[in-house]
Amino acid sequence: MTNQKRPMILGHRGASFGRVDNSREAFESIAPEGGDGAELDVRATSDGVLAVIHDPVIRGYGAVAEHSFEEISKAMGGGLLRLSDALEILNGQFVDIEIKSDPKEVGWVPSELTSRLLAKELSNYGGSSRLMVSSFSIRALEVFSNLAPDFAIGLLTSIGSDAVALCHAATEMGANYILPHHSSLDGQVLKDAHELGLGVIAWTVDLNERVSTLAKLGIDGIITNKVEAAVAVLSGAA
């Protein structure tokens, strides 16, 4: 995880700067911009489809979890992707699949359900080293990992969280990566994480200077809306 020439550049919901996030266009734009893959979000619909969508509620319509995939897609004007659609577009690239599971959300779906659906979906991909599952929910990751132990998992934390505590929590649960907000990271945190055998992927880094700093510190991956700009920084073109 730490022997690559430069960090992985992952498009935040695709190469989403100037595009609709989690969309076909955003995902198709990653490779032409020089990126290595994508971070995307999945939620379970009422008919058990894993939809690639960030927000729990469609404004003016209702909760994702309370409607079928086709109903939600129609309400959004079309273009909503299934996870299988996104993985087909991103074939061969690294994909960080985030399980959205927050009990405070409207229409919350218990993490066990989404994790089980995801484990079943990914069983078709045979433990691909190009796929990782992440979440802020330890429970979601534990359920998924028990069902699909061959896939890497990563523990996310919010802005302002203690990155050192994150390292230890990730190690205890058997995670492969930590995904802290970039503001929580410094050289010591990266050193500690790597010594524990953890890869480190930072979110969401859109400032060129911060991209450069994290790369020099030895970060393993950078999630960004501005894929082309981040690649240019790392290639010395910006």
Side-chain angles (χ1 to χ4, degrees):
M1 286 181 288
T2 61
N3 293 325
Q4 55 199 27
K5 294 180 179 179
R6 67 161 174 82
M8 290 188 298
I9 298 299
L10 305 178
H12 182 232
R13 309 175 199 164
S16 55
F17 183 67
R19 303 181 179 95
V20 176
D21 62 20
N22 281 324
S23 67
R24 176 175 294 274
E25 181 187 13
F27 294 136
E28 288 179 341
S29 299
I30 292 172
E33 293 192 3
D36 302 293
E39 178 270 351
L40 56 80
D41 313 288
V42 293
R43 293 182 179 278
T45 62
S46 65
D47 53 343
V49 176
L50 290 173
V52 181
I53 185 169
H54 178 269
D55 294 344
V57 174
I58 306 303
R59 186 177 298 178
Y61 186 72
V64 171
E66 296 171 357
H67 296 85
S68 71
F69 178 87
E70 294 301 333
E71 289 171 338
I72 297 162
S73 184
K74 184 177 179 180
M76 294 175 63
L80 180 64
L81 298 175
R82 295 173 173 82
L83 175 60
S84 56
D85 299 326
L87 293 179
E88 182 177 352
I89 295 166
L90 296 163
N91 184 37
Q93 299 180 55
F94 187 93
V95 185
D96 167 19
I97 304 166
E98 182 186 343
I99 298 172
K100 305 300 289 186
S101 180
D102 185 346
K104 299 187 292 294
E105 292 177 342
V106 176
W108 174 62
V109 174
S111 55
E112 289 87 348
L113 174 60
T114 306
S115 295
R116 290 179 185 280
L117 288 171
L118 183 56
K120 182 178 180 180
E121 179 92 16
L122 295 188
S123 66
N124 299 318
Y125 294 86
S128 171
S129 62
R130 304 297 292 173
L131 301 177
M132 176 182 76
V133 173
S134 65
S135 183
F136 289 95
S137 168
I138 291 177
R139 178 59 179 162
L141 292 174
E142 288 176 338
V143 171
F144 172 81
S145 190
N146 284 337
L147 294 169
D150 292 335
F151 290 91
I153 56 173
L155 183 59
L156 277 152
T157 55
S158 303
I159 297 172
S161 297
D162 184 343
V164 175
L166 172 61
C167 288
H168 292 292
T171 301
E172 287 177 6
M173 67 174 294
N176 309 94
Y177 290 87
I178 57 170
L179 294 90
H181 187 260
H182 71 89
S183 61
S184 302
L185 289 170
D186 58 26
Q188 187 59 52
V189 172
L190 282 162
K191 181 175 181 292
D192 291 345
H194 288 155
E195 287 179 350
L196 290 169
L198 296 166
V200 184
I201 300 175
W203 64 273
T204 297
V205 192
D206 286 342
L207 296 177
N208 288 357
E209 182 179 354
R210 189 60 173 155
V211 170
S212 178
T213 297
L214 289 171
K216 290 174 182 176
L217 290 175
I219 195 84
D220 299 288
I222 290 173
I223 296 172
T224 179
N225 295 299
K226 300 180 177 181
V227 171
E228 190 171 29
V231 171
V233 168
L234 297 182
S235 66

